[in-house]
Structure formats: C-alpha cells, structure tokens
Amino acid sequence: MPAKNLDEIMSFCKRRGFIFQSGEIYGGLQGVYDYGPLGVELKNNLKAAWWRANIYERDDMVGLDSAILSHQMVFKYSGHEDTFSDNMVDCYDCKKRWRVDHLKDGQCEACGSKNLTEPRPFNMMFKTRIGPVEDNASFAYLRPETAQGIFVNFRNIVDSTFQKLPFGVAQIGKAFRNEITPRNFIFRVREFEQMEIEFFVKPGEDEQWHDAWVETRVAWWQDQGLSKENLKLFVQPEAELAHYAKKTVDILYNFPHGLEELEGIANRTDFDLGSHSKEQGALNIKAKVNPNEHSITKLQILDPKTNENCVPYVIEPSAGVDRGILAILSEAYTEEVLGDGKERIVLKLKPHLAPVKVAVIPLAKNNPDIVAKTKVIRKRIQALGIGRVSYEDTGNIGKSYRRHDEIGTPLCITIDFETIGKDGDPALFNTVTIRERDSMTQKRVHLDDIETTVRGYF
Ligand code: ATP
C-alpha cells in the first residue's frame, strides 16, 4: 500500500492533538516539534514496547539513562568534533542555505539558481555554556547521539552489574543535531529521540551478531504495525560509512515523502571503547592523545575463553523515535468508505500503541443513573492498568465512535438504558455494548466479564 500524503498526516496530527509545531504562537521554531496529549501517549507506548522487547524480554541487556549535557572530551574522542559534519552551500541569489547532498542537479531548492558557494563542512553539534563565565573552556555539547553515554559508562556498568560477553546496554533519550535543512515534518528535526542499543560481543563474533540484530529489529518494527512491503534493507556503501563503522545496514521505511532511513544498525567494532581508552582499535584510527585530557580508564572486559582482557566489538541498532512515530502514523492512517456510502477516518494502530485504550460512553449524558454507572465502569477499566481510558459524552453515539476511530481507540464501551435495567430486554440488565474499531462489530458483554473481555484485547 502506498504511503499517505505528508500534508494530510501533518494536519491530522495538529487537529487531533498528536504533534504541534514548537513555539507556534511566535511563528514556530524550525525543526522542533511538541507532542500533544495524544502524541505523548503514542510516543510513550512506542518507547515502552521497545524497552519491554529489549530489556524485559531478554536476559542479556540492561538499561541506562545518561545525561544530555556532555563533556567536551567525550565528543572529541568519539570523533564527532572532527567528523560529525555535513557539507553545506549558500545560494548567492536568495541567500538560503542547503545541505549539498540534498540538492537536485546542483540547483537552489528555493529559487532554482545554480549560483552557489563551494561546499563547506558544518559541524552539527550544539554547544551550550556551562556556568557563569563565558569562555571557550566552559562549554558542553548537547549530545548528537545517546550512544556515547553508554561507551563512557562501560566500566561503571560492567563493575556494577557483572556482565559477561555478549551483553547489551539500551537507552532511550533525546539527541540534538543542528541540521542544515530540517524537513519532512518530524522526519528530520533538530531535537529528537533515539532508542539505541550497544551490544558488546567478542571480536570475531561481530558479523553474526550484526546479522541477527538486523533480523530482530525488522521483526520488531513489524510488531509495531509496519508492513513488510514498506520496509527495506539497505547496506551502506563503504564510501558512505560513518567514521566508526565497519558495516552499516539501514532499515528503510516507505515514508510519505519517500523511502528513507528509519533505523541504522552499525558494526562499530572496538572504535569507541578503544578511542575513549586511547587504544588503537580495529579501524586503525589512532586517538590523538593529549596527556592533559587523560582518561586512563580501561574499557575492557574479560574474555572467558582466553581468560584475557579484550576490547569488545559493538553492534549498534539505533532507531529514531520520531521517525518511528511518523512511520506508524502513516501506516495506520486510513480513509474508508463504508457500506452505507459514508466515509470514516480510522487510525489502525496496534492496540498496545493506541493513545486511548478504551472509551466509555453514556448513551444519555443527562441521565444520572447511566452517567453514574458509566463512571463506575470507567474506574473498573482504569484499574486494569492498560493505559488511558476516556469518558466520552458528546451525546451522539455515532459521533463518539467516529472520533475514537480517528484517534485509534481500539474499544468503545456504551452504557445504555438496558444496562441500568430501565428499558428493553430485562436479560440485558448489567450488560454493555463493546464496539471494535477496525471491524466495527458490536457485542453485548455482561459486567461480570468486562475486565476479562477488555484485557483480552491488550
Ligand atoms: P540521516 O542519514 O537520515 O541523517 P543518520 O544516518 O545520520 O540519518 P544515525 O546517526 O544513524 O542517523 O542516527 C540513528 C537514527 O536516529 C536514525 O536512523 C534516525 O531514525 C534518527 N535520526 C537521526 N537524525 C535525525 C534527525 N535529524 N531527526 C530525526 N531523527 C533522526
């Protein structure tokens, strides 16, 4: 199925409270977005699914939450100070600035001019001042990737948790890149979140672990609802590899604006641990050691087979939360024509990702008995701990269903006169109607079974 139109997804996200332009009332901050009441739920659910799959359902991984503000030396020895840059050009005619590899036929995207400056490297790391003195010595970087927090804590993690190879460290957190041309909604932004794993293995076992992680990660994205047809693998050509990588396989997704990277899975060898401990790693990039900038910590681990210390190799599956959200929304957003000719928008999210799990709806919003019963049922469903339960009293049942179809609520529970024993078949006393989002089928369920029935969907 082709991906949807990006403008449609953007206006949907604003209309229904998923994602807003940051600082919109002041004209907006380019390349920065805020997640609204429904967006934050979707994002938290996606991150929770990733954490569950990688930490709780495995026994070879631990978690970390390292700081965003980063010591300058971390990004010096990681190689980012020297190499984390894109080539940019300026247009002499309209003065706009572009990333050179994003231009078509060497033309300015805004005015079509070919009158451009020579490409110049532009380092994408944000710097920020630390403390009250404004000098060059007192700055920190806002991390451009979460990975380095894992590498520089390697010793602390091994010493405190007694890991043995192979093992991984997982982290979810914000990263910042001063992108020259942020674009395509939340696809390329200046502030974003990453879900990164650094999986440490014995040198020599890296290639098989790399292959295994590519497979695991593709399967995980499918579990989040992305279809096989919209996911492709791309092996980065050697000339395009990042300074730390021996091999990188990208998982591409067929986004509304084209087939682009959703996650990168890199074999970073022993580059980072080697560089931070001033060892010459497998890629033969010797750290430029300045004895005044000492890190004498040995980032090594015992190889139980040889009983000798080694600098492990690392496989890094690095996924973007925001790109994940865009892919999931694009895949789930569906416009349908129903049997009666009416149209509906339905967000076909996997239930575990849905921002609202269940809507409880009183059929008559002014009937005190129905309202009271609805509130009791809401409390019972909330007590299941499955996520957000919404009380919906627009007074128009059809409208309520459509609203919840549009935001992806898997179940609506309607409480009517029969539920409170005031109308219709007495056998229906204490029963409610459960309606499913995708099939729109409805069934009558007794309140004694309501928890079991609802739990069965999540
Ligand atoms: P690209 O080539 O698209 O700039 P990258 O190869 O530089 O991406 P990585 O450094 O591999 O990206 O980062 C890992 C993941 O972080 C990416 O797969 C992506 O999902 C996410 N990511 C990177 N840069 C951005 C950004 N500017 N905005 C949103 N997500 C990003």
Side-chain angles (χ1 to χ4, degrees):
M1 193 173 54
K4 321 293 180 315
N5 174 306
L6 198 58
D7 289 337
E8 210 170 33
I9 301 288
M10 282 172 77
S11 68
F12 166 76
C13 283
K14 181 173 179 191
R15 181 160 44 88
R16 298 315 315 260
F18 280 87
I19 299 165
F20 310 125
Q21 173 77 59
S22 191
E24 192 184 17
I25 62 166
Y26 290 108
L29 186 58
Q30 221 201 341
V32 185
Y33 287 89
D34 297 333
Y35 283 75
L38 294 184
V40 65
E41 298 290 343
L42 173 58
K43 201 185 199 196
N44 284 344
N45 292 340
L46 183 67
K47 291 190 286 183
W50 185 89
W51 197 262
R52 195 166 50 240
N54 290 303
I55 303 279
Y56 301 151
E57 291 172 5
R58 297 180 66 112
D59 47 20
D60 54 1
M61 300 263 278
V62 291
L64 182 75
D65 181 16
S66 68
I68 288 170
L69 287 178
S70 306
H71 196 294
Q72 186 198 344
M73 289 307 136
V74 172
F75 285 101
K76 173 174 181 170
Y77 282 102
S78 69
H80 284 74
E81 265 191 358
D82 290 336
T83 61
F84 196 63
S85 49
D86 279 332
N87 281 326
M88 65 176 182
V89 290
D90 290 299
C91 173
Y92 282 116
D93 294 327
C94 73
K95 313 290 180 223
K96 288 236 158 61
R97 181 164 283 177
W98 304 105
R99 214 173 110 169
V100 76
D101 60 329
H102 282 171
L103 292 182
K104 287 196 182 68
D105 307 327
Q107 285 186 326
C108 171
E109 267 194 32
C111 70
S113 167
K114 287 200 168 184
N115 197 9
L116 307 173
T117 61
E118 283 300 308
R120 286 170 293 149
F122 170 74
N123 194 297
M124 292 197 291
M125 284 195 290
F126 281 100
K127 280 181 184 175
T128 191
R129 195 155 53 84
I130 293 268
V133 185
E134 228 171 306
D135 62 17
N136 258 354
S138 52
F139 79 86
Y141 286 116
L142 298 188
R143 63 182 179 196
E145 60 174 26
T146 64
Q148 295 304 324
I150 298 178
F151 296 130
V152 298
N153 275 299
F154 181 80
R155 187 77 270 142
N156 289 333
I157 294 168
V158 170
D159 287 351
S160 58
T161 62
F162 315 107
Q163 300 299 320
K164 291 194 173 58
L165 294 179
F167 77 96
V169 182
Q171 167 159 234
I172 300 176
K174 290 254 174 160
F176 300 82
R177 296 183 187 179
N178 200 358
E179 295 279 354
I180 299 163
T181 37
R183 56 173 65 194
N184 296 323
F185 192 30
I186 52 170
F187 178 82
R188 185 172 302 287
V189 282
R190 291 184 168 133
E191 173 175 343
F192 56 99
E193 264 185 288
Q194 291 184 312
M195 304 183 283
E196 292 199 303
I197 294 165
E198 304 305 326
F199 197 80
F200 300 100
V201 302
K202 281 180 216 161
E205 294 183 2
D206 49 313
E207 290 178 13
Q208 75 205 56
W209 274 108
H210 194 201
D211 293 344
W213 271 109
V214 170
E215 209 174 291
T216 304
R217 296 300 307 144
V218 171
W220 184 82
W221 282 114
Q222 286 179 3
D223 289 345
Q224 310 319 307
L226 303 188
S227 60
K228 216 173 169 182
E229 306 81 70
N230 282 333
L231 291 164
K232 300 264 171 324
L233 292 180
F234 172 73
V235 182
Q236 283 190 9
E238 225 164 280
E240 284 174 27
L241 287 175
H243 62 280
Y244 50 72
K246 170 175 159 187
K247 182 177 174 186
T248 298
V249 178
D250 290 338
I251 302 177
L252 309 181
Y253 180 75
N254 187 18
F255 286 99
H257 62 279
L259 193 62
E260 293 228 46
E261 178 179 334
L262 169 65
E263 171 162 350
I265 301 158
N267 181 343
R268 287 179 87 129
T269 69
D270 56 0
F271 173 79
D272 299 272
L273 293 182
S275 182
H276 286 304
S277 50
K278 318 295 180 285
E279 305 272 345
Q280 180 164 324
L283 296 179
N284 285 322
I285 303 171
K286 200 163 177 73
K288 295 175 220 152
V289 181
N290 175 343
N292 299 325
E293 299 165 351
H294 62 285
S295 141
I296 48 164
T297 311
K298 286 271 175 230
L299 302 179
Q300 300 183 347
I301 192 167
L302 198 72
D303 178 342
K305 261 197 193 145
T306 59
N307 223 20
E308 280 179 9
N309 275 331
C310 72
V311 182
Y313 271 37
V314 66
I315 307 302
E316 177 195 67
S318 171
V321 175
D322 310 79
R323 289 187 188 180
I325 297 283
L326 183 58
I328 286 164
L329 284 174
S330 312
E331 183 100 30
Y333 183 90
T334 312
E335 287 173 356
E336 277 182 359
V337 180
L338 304 176
D340 57 7
K342 288 199 179 127
E343 288 175 13
R344 72 161 181 166
I345 293 172
V346 55
L347 200 61
K348 296 189 171 177
L349 293 172
K350 290 273 185 170
H352 71 279
L353 295 177
V356 176
K357 303 298 184 203
V358 177
V360 290
I361 308 171
L363 188 71
K365 65 175 179 182
N366 296 324
N367 181 299
D369 293 337
I370 290 189
V371 166
K373 192 92 179 170
T374 307
K375 289 187 174 165
V376 168
I377 293 169
R378 178 182 58 177
K379 273 255 164 302
R380 282 174 59 176
I381 309 289
Q382 277 172 337
L384 294 175
I386 52 171
R388 198 171 138 193
V389 180
S390 179
Y391 181 90
E392 184 70 50
D393 65 355
T394 53
N396 177 326
I397 191 75
K399 236 188 197 167
S400 299
Y401 286 160
R402 292 291 174 276
R403 264 162 91 125
H404 281 280
D405 285 346
E406 206 179 340
I407 63 168
T409 308
L411 294 181
C412 287
I413 299 180
T414 303
I415 291 83
D416 57 20
F417 288 95
E418 286 170 319
T419 315
I420 57 167
K422 290 270 170 64
D423 197 9
D425 185 351
L428 296 180
F429 176 56
N430 266 343
T431 66
V432 291
T433 302
I434 293 193
R435 175 189 180 271
E436 291 177 16
R437 176 195 69 200
D438 295 349
S439 65
M440 294 188 294
T441 53
Q442 302 189 10
K443 62 180 175 195
R444 206 81 198 178
V445 173
H446 197 279
L447 284 180
D448 288 349
D449 303 322
I450 194 80
E451 279 91 354
T452 323
T453 309
V454 169
R455 222 187 256 118
Y457 283 94
F458 297 97

